[in-house]
Amino acid sequence: DAGITQSPRHKVTETGTPVTLRCHQTENHRYMYWYRQDPGHGLRLIHYSYGVKDTDKGEVSDGYSVSRSKTEDFLLTLESATSSQTSVYFCAIRAPDTQYFGPGTRLTVL
Amino acid sequence: AQSVTQLDSHVSVSEGTPVLLRCNYSSSYSPSLFWYVQHPNKGLQLLLKYTSAATLVKGINGFEAEFKKSETSFHLTKPSAHMSDAAEYFCVVPDTGNQFYFGTGTSLTVIP
């Protein structure tokens, strides 16, 4: 158990509303990641962070932003949710060369 | 650039028979490689990892994988499937920076 929690675990929202997902870790790891999982695509990287206030884009970053103001928290924001962002979102940490994942957040955008 | 290809999107085996899940990688160097398992409605759990110490890697729940550089493969095997092995399996390769690349997954069905 890498001490990773995600909140909320489930969320239903409407198109056009902002949504923020939170990833929290208890072990002070430097690297944190946000992925989305969709059938037939595996996991695709949205954004990652390599330190407080240090972030970079992944393969599918359009429509998403992130923030990391504390080592333990990595936030993913959908500024204006769309139906194409309905997915399961996973947070991960890297320690030191292996990723460990949170339990996931299932997001439905109606 | 690094990438992985999981050659089968679905594999079905009978309980008690061997499991083979295939993964080929593309890398400009000898990489680390990982297998993760995801049970229905769960997160991803590390099954095993290769980090160049030994080409045959043993993981949890009786799984193992062999790194074959000449074939650029890292296939996952288990001698005898159990019902609890039914899950999605992902092969993963990191790049030289900070990113990890996932295969599209193999869904394993175990038939009683």
Side-chain angles (χ1 to χ4, degrees):
Chain A
D1 183 2
I4 307 166
T5 57
Q6 294 184 230
S7 59
R9 295 292 314 280
H10 302 271
K11 186 169 182 68
V12 180
T13 191
E14 294 188 351
T15 299
T17 60
V19 176
T20 295
L21 309 183
R22 179 183 184 234
C23 178
H24 178 78
Q25 58 146 329
T26 60
E27 299 184 4
N28 220 34
H29 297 293
R30 179 182 174 194
Y31 290 91
M32 298 183 75
Y33 300 78
W34 275 109
Y35 292 90
R36 60 177 290 172
Q37 183 178 25
D38 304 289
H41 291 278
L43 271 72
R44 293 180 291 174
L45 181 65
I46 304 172
H47 283 278
Y48 68 95
S49 171
Y50 48 97
V52 173
K53 297 189 183 345
D54 293 321
T55 65
D56 206 350
K57 295 180 180 180
E59 176 189 358
V60 291
S61 59
D62 286 350
Y64 301 95
S65 62
V66 290
S67 66
R68 193 166 178 203
S69 58
K70 300 185 289 184
T71 300
E72 59 266 35
D73 289 326
F74 191 31
L75 304 181
L76 177 70
T77 297
L78 292 65
E79 301 290 347
S80 178
T82 68
S83 58
S84 64
Q85 294 175 312
T86 292
S87 187
V88 181
Y89 292 84
F90 286 100
C91 172
I93 59 93
R94 177 178 171 177
D97 61 351
T98 301
Q99 286 192 314
Y100 298 93
F101 290 84
T105 294
R106 184 173 296 274
L107 176 67
T108 301
V109 183
L110 301 175
Chain B
Q2 278 64 252
S3 67
V4 290
T5 302
Q6 292 186 242
L7 299 169
D8 306 292
S9 57
H10 300 278
V11 170
S12 290
V13 301
S14 295
E15 189 175 18
T17 65
V19 176
L20 171 64
L21 306 182
R22 299 182 294 164
C23 172
N24 286 111
Y25 69 92
S26 173
S27 176
S28 56
Y29 66 102
S30 184
S32 300
L33 287 158
F34 302 84
W35 276 100
Y36 287 84
V37 59
Q38 184 183 31
H39 288 94
N41 299 310
K42 299 292 186 184
L44 279 77
Q45 180 184 16
L46 180 67
L47 204 51
L48 52 81
K49 68 178 181 181
Y50 165 75
T51 55
S52 77
T55 57
L56 184 62
V57 183
K58 293 189 183 299
I60 62 172
N61 300 333
F63 284 93
E64 62 182 36
E66 186 171 8
F67 175 75
K68 292 187 177 180
K69 186 174 182 178
S70 61
E71 299 176 9
T72 61
S73 69
F74 190 56
H75 300 336
L76 182 70
T77 61
K78 182 174 181 177
S80 176
H82 191 274
M83 294 299 295
S84 61
D85 295 327
E88 189 90 13
Y89 292 81
F90 293 97
C91 184
V92 180
V93 64
D95 68 8
T96 53
N98 302 313
Q99 299 194 31
F100 293 74
Y101 296 94
F102 283 73
T104 51
T106 298
S107 177
L108 176 65
T109 298
V110 182
I111 302 166

